[in-house]
Amino acid sequence: MTTILHEERLSTVVAAVAETGARTVLDLGCGDGDLVLRLAGVAGIGRVTGIEIDAERLRRAQTRLAGLPAGGARVQLACASLTQAHSNLAGYDCACLVEVIEHLPLADINRLERALFGGMRPGHVIVTTPNAEYNPVLGVPPHRFRHPDHHFEWDRARFARWGRGVAARNGYTVTFHDICGAHPDLGGASQMAVYRRGDQSP
């Protein structure tokens, strides 16, 4: 993906988080801290926690976060698996997975669902993932993925089937959005699902 698309994706997710009214936010698979840095400066957010399994990326994120100005959100990082529920991460207002699920083996997707939606149960969950239909626009050859570390890339219909199933099984509602471009037939470069737990106000 290009830097322009990456920036657009992050801006879209930050706006979606702000729309939920969340004060506490989890960034699951936070990588080098791109989203954490942006969320830390959003008015109304008081705590941001980034979770990453790759210790080297987590160290890079920690270095970047050292430059945050005082007085913003409280930020913390932790090295942990996304496919295991963590009781100390329960109760967050919103959790984000930005271009993360496609890096997991398909066998781990169900484990992620149980850990996040069944165990930690944040009030809202925001998930983005590549839209496979858009790959030709990016010059990705057929039968190839955008990144060698991707285990899958779903079209919009497949993502929607998965997302609706997750919502139904765990007591959430979900809406879907094309992001990072709007081709009239192919949608955006990425796609976003926004989940709301059933007891949360619309």
Side-chain angles (χ1 to χ4, degrees), residues 136-164:
V137 178
L138 299 174
V140 179
H143 313 299
R144 289 272 302 275
F145 293 147
R146 296 182 194 176
H147 190 281
D149 191 45
H150 289 181
H151 289 268
F152 61 89
E153 290 176 2
W154 287 337
D155 61 24
R156 288 172 294 171
R158 179 67 183 85
F159 183 51
R161 285 198 302 274
W162 173 78
R164 292 189 186 107

Side-chain angles (χ1 to χ4, degrees), residues 93-105:
D93 296 329
C94 186
C96 301
L97 297 104
V98 178
E99 310 294 288
V100 169
I101 62 171
E102 65 275 6
H103 292 272
L104 298 176

Side-chain angles (χ1 to χ4, degrees), residues 10-32:
L10 292 172
S11 296
T12 301
V13 170
V14 168
V17 172
E19 190 172 339
T20 70
R23 295 189 55 80
T24 57
V25 186
L26 275 172
D27 182 10
L28 299 173
C30 69
D32 296 346

